[in-house]
Amino acid sequence: MPSTKVHTHTKGGEKPKRQPILFVNRAAIMLACAAVFFSELNPARITTAISTNLTLLTSCFSYDSLIANIQRAVMQGTISGSVFVTLMIACVVLLVGVGLCVAEACMSMGNRRMRFNGLRFSFVGSLVMVGGLVWMYLLAVQIANANVSTAPACLSGGFFYYLVIALVILLTTVAMFAQAKRSAEPLEDKAEMKEKYKLFLMFLPVLVLTFVFAYLPLWGWRYAFFDYKSGGTLSADNFVGLKWFTILFQNDTTRADFLRVLANTLGISFLSIITSWIPMIFAVFLTQAPSKRFRRVVQTFTTVPNFLGWVIVYAVALAIFSSDGFINNFLNNILGMSVSTNYLMNGDHMWIKMLLWGLWKGVGWSAIIYIAAITGIDPSLYEAAEVDGAGRFQKMWYVTIPCLLPTFFVLLLLSIGNILSNGLDQYLVFSNAINSKSIEVLDLYVYNLGIGSGQIPMSTAVGMFKSVISVALLLGANTVSKKIRGESII
């Protein structure tokens, strides 16, 4: 978000002045943006029948979610479905208003003319927000007039929250307009912005997406502290503190399951880490192939599996290793044997089998970064090695691999940080009644607990445990790397 400092011209290193009005305006815009993702602050709840788990953002795009609890009343015509269609439009209008205010905040990084022009966006945006809220109020009145017992009209706390925010933005914008008019300092001829602020704004979408998809979901951790049932609400009545964390380790059955899953996770991750050098060696040998066409064919052939979903990979495995798959048909029809073994129903050596499938799918893709690093090696190093009489393998050993080691160790650190994150898809599709005990990893365990068994608080507690340990491992590996090699990623 933009800085709260005022970009005024200073003399002799004088610190820029701070304006309380500007600070209040920026804080209001930030609060308006953040509330878009929180269901507790959804102004679209104009009837108690609308789910309390619905956010303003979801209300803009999901008609089915809006009427999920009152489908019968809508189908019977007691409440017109057009009310909720127009409610979605009102939500979009409100979001457009927030977006205009954000645009003004971005333009405030420019010179005085750009900041002055940006105030128009903020002024219009706040009015649009008020317009969207008035629209929602009229829809609430319409629902109240319908007098449906299953859908009583109401105005949520989010409605008044956004109303206050919009009025604050409007008043502070008018005040800043007045200040700009009174200022004796002339506006520049052209609206401009410094290069560093342009770069920041170009990077801003990445920051926003990172916040939305990486940090905002952490808000769901609160479910670990409540006795939550699917479809219910969180309140002081079902707050249980650390109950689920203590059950995780004090209950014998739960502790045994957790330790088994943890062993599977660490075992498979350990095998993956000790074989993480394979993509690097594959890239080294591939770049040594004399035929450019051969290199392209091999690289394409080994990279394509990365783009196949695990469901498709399992379909391939089924066609090869099932009782009527390729192997059994080959043994029966070509060699004259009589076998009907279903190799996918065998629970032996599952860690190694999963590792091999993972390598087949990802080695070509993982080698791309090493191939890119090899093309960046200084050719003079190879020329110097040739002058010293080095052969092909000696150049690979003494030049190529040492130049790839920094890249290898960075990827190794990231792998250690993700040691408890094996993913879900692969183990879900390959899991069956025979191998489930040895294939269930933490991510699959969380899925089975939360989605399969409905134990959302317990699955959230396990997920929190996994995240905390992963961060600790990453920081530990980073510290070790810094002490041993003098390099780190943090």
Side-chain angles (χ1 to χ4, degrees):
M1 295 302 295
S3 167
T4 56
K5 291 182 178 179
V6 180
H7 305 285
T8 56
H9 293 286
T10 60
K11 298 178 180 179
E14 181 183 351
K15 291 184 178 180
K17 296 180 180 178
R18 294 178 182 275
Q19 294 185 359
I21 297 177
L22 180 63
F23 175 80
V24 173
N25 180 274
R26 296 295 176 270
I29 294 175
M30 291 181 64
L31 290 174
C33 292
V36 170
F37 304 102
F38 290 92
S39 58
E40 292 82 355
L41 299 175
N42 183 10
R45 287 195 66 241
I46 57 177
T47 168
T48 55
I50 294 179
S51 172
T52 55
N53 296 324
L54 210 61
T55 65
L56 174 61
L57 186 63
T58 310
S59 302
C60 292
F61 305 106
S62 180
Y63 174 79
D64 292 338
S65 299
L66 278 176
I67 64 167
N69 299 330
I70 47 176
Q71 286 185 347
R72 177 174 294 181
V74 173
M75 292 177 65
Q76 292 175 347
T78 309
I79 299 179
S80 173
S82 61
V83 172
F84 297 96
V85 174
T86 51
L87 178 60
M88 293 174 62
I89 299 174
C91 294
V92 172
V93 170
L94 181 57
L95 274 187
V96 169
V98 175
L100 290 173
C101 295
V102 172
E104 183 273 329
C106 295
M107 295 176 70
S108 68
M109 297 180 184
N111 58 8
R112 292 188 71 252
R113 175 167 289 279
M114 181 172 284
R115 296 201 299 275
F116 184 80
N117 294 339
L119 291 176
R120 295 188 177 95
F121 284 84
S122 181
F123 181 76
V124 174
S126 58
L127 290 179
V128 171
M129 290 175 65
V130 173
L133 293 170
V134 170
W135 195 345
M136 292 179 186
Y137 173 78
L138 295 176
L139 291 173
V141 171
Q142 188 174 345
I143 291 178
N145 292 335
N147 195 23
V148 180
S149 59
T150 56
C154 72
L155 291 177
S156 66
F159 178 88
F160 297 101
Y161 173 87
Y162 266 101
L163 183 60
V164 172
I165 290 289
L167 293 177
V168 168
I169 295 175
L170 179 62
L171 294 177
T172 52
T173 301
V174 171
M176 287 190 291
F177 255 130
Q179 287 181 348
K181 289 288 186 182
R182 288 198 303 269
S183 176
E185 192 173 356
L187 297 178
E188 297 85 352
D189 295 333
K190 185 179 179 181
E192 293 180 332
M193 182 181 292
K194 290 184 178 179
E195 192 68 24
K196 60 181 181 181
Y197 295 125
K198 292 180 182 177
L199 294 175
F200 173 76
L201 291 179
M202 292 172 64
F203 187 64
L204 187 59
V206 178
L207 291 178
V208 172
L209 291 176
T210 302
F211 171 77
V212 171
F213 292 105
Y215 290 98
L216 192 63
L218 297 181
W219 179 243
W221 279 9
R222 68 190 192 280
Y223 286 94
F225 304 98
F226 291 85
D227 191 8
Y228 175 77
K229 304 295 182 185
S230 182
T233 58
L234 303 182
S235 65
D237 295 335
N238 55 14
F239 180 77
V240 294
L242 301 176
K243 171 188 172 182
W244 300 110
F245 294 92
T246 55
I247 289 178
L248 184 62
F249 295 101
Q250 289 182 351
N251 184 283
D252 293 339
T253 304
T254 307
R255 184 172 63 249
D257 282 343
F258 182 73
L259 292 178
R260 172 182 57 80
V261 170
L262 191 61
N264 291 337
T265 304
L266 293 176
I268 293 174
S269 294
F270 178 73
L271 290 176
S272 177
I273 288 176
I274 63 174
T275 56
S276 58
W277 52 270
I278 292 179
M280 181 177 70
I281 299 302
F282 174 76
V284 171
F285 279 96
L286 181 62
T287 53
Q288 293 298 318
S291 172
K292 192 174 183 179
R293 177 174 298 179
F294 174 79
R295 292 202 300 268
R296 288 181 176 176
V297 170
V298 172
Q299 188 174 355
T300 302
F301 185 75
T302 55
T303 304
V304 166
N306 179 73
F307 300 100
L308 301 178
W310 277 109
V311 175
I312 298 176
V313 173
Y314 183 75
V316 174
L318 203 63
I320 299 175
F321 298 106
S322 65
S323 55
D324 57 350
F326 170 77
I327 290 181
N328 283 332
N329 286 331
F330 179 81
L331 295 176
N332 294 334
N333 299 330
I334 305 301
L335 301 183
M337 301 173 65
S338 178
V339 292
S340 61
T341 305
N342 188 341
Y343 300 97
L344 296 177
M345 296 299 289
N346 189 329
D348 297 335
H349 312 296
M350 287 307 301
W351 294 359
I352 296 177
K353 292 176 182 176
M354 292 298 101
L355 173 69
L356 294 177
W357 280 111
L359 286 174
W360 173 78
K361 190 172 184 294
V363 69
W365 176 258
S366 301
I368 290 177
I369 191 170
Y370 291 109
I371 293 173
I374 290 172
T375 58
I377 297 176
D378 189 352
S380 64
L381 296 176
Y382 292 106
E383 295 172 0
E386 289 177 359
V387 171
D388 291 338
R392 180 185 297 271
F393 288 100
Q394 288 174 317
K395 286 190 290 185
M396 292 164 55
W397 182 255
Y398 292 107
V399 178
T400 307
I401 291 180
C403 290
L404 293 180
L405 283 181
T407 303
F408 173 77
F409 279 108
V410 169
L411 297 178
L412 182 63
L413 286 179
L414 296 178
S415 299
I416 293 175
N418 289 324
I419 196 169
L420 296 181
S421 301
N422 304 93
L424 167 68
D425 305 4
Q426 177 183 4
Y427 308 99
L428 180 63
V429 298
F430 277 93
S431 178
N432 55 52
I434 296 177
N435 63 25
S436 61
K437 296 294 183 184
S438 55
I439 203 176
E440 192 175 27
V441 294
L442 267 175
D443 289 327
L444 182 57
Y445 183 60
V446 170
Y447 172 82
N448 289 335
L449 276 178
I451 306 300
S453 305
Q455 300 181 44
I456 294 177
M458 176 64 82
S459 63
T460 307
V462 175
M464 288 178 62
F465 176 81
K466 190 195 79 169
S467 299
V468 172
I469 297 299
S470 296
V471 172
L473 286 172
L474 177 61
L475 295 178
N478 185 73
T479 303
V480 172
S481 173
K482 192 173 183 178
K483 288 185 177 180
I484 295 178
R485 301 180 60 250
E487 297 179 359
S488 62
I489 58 175
I490 301 176

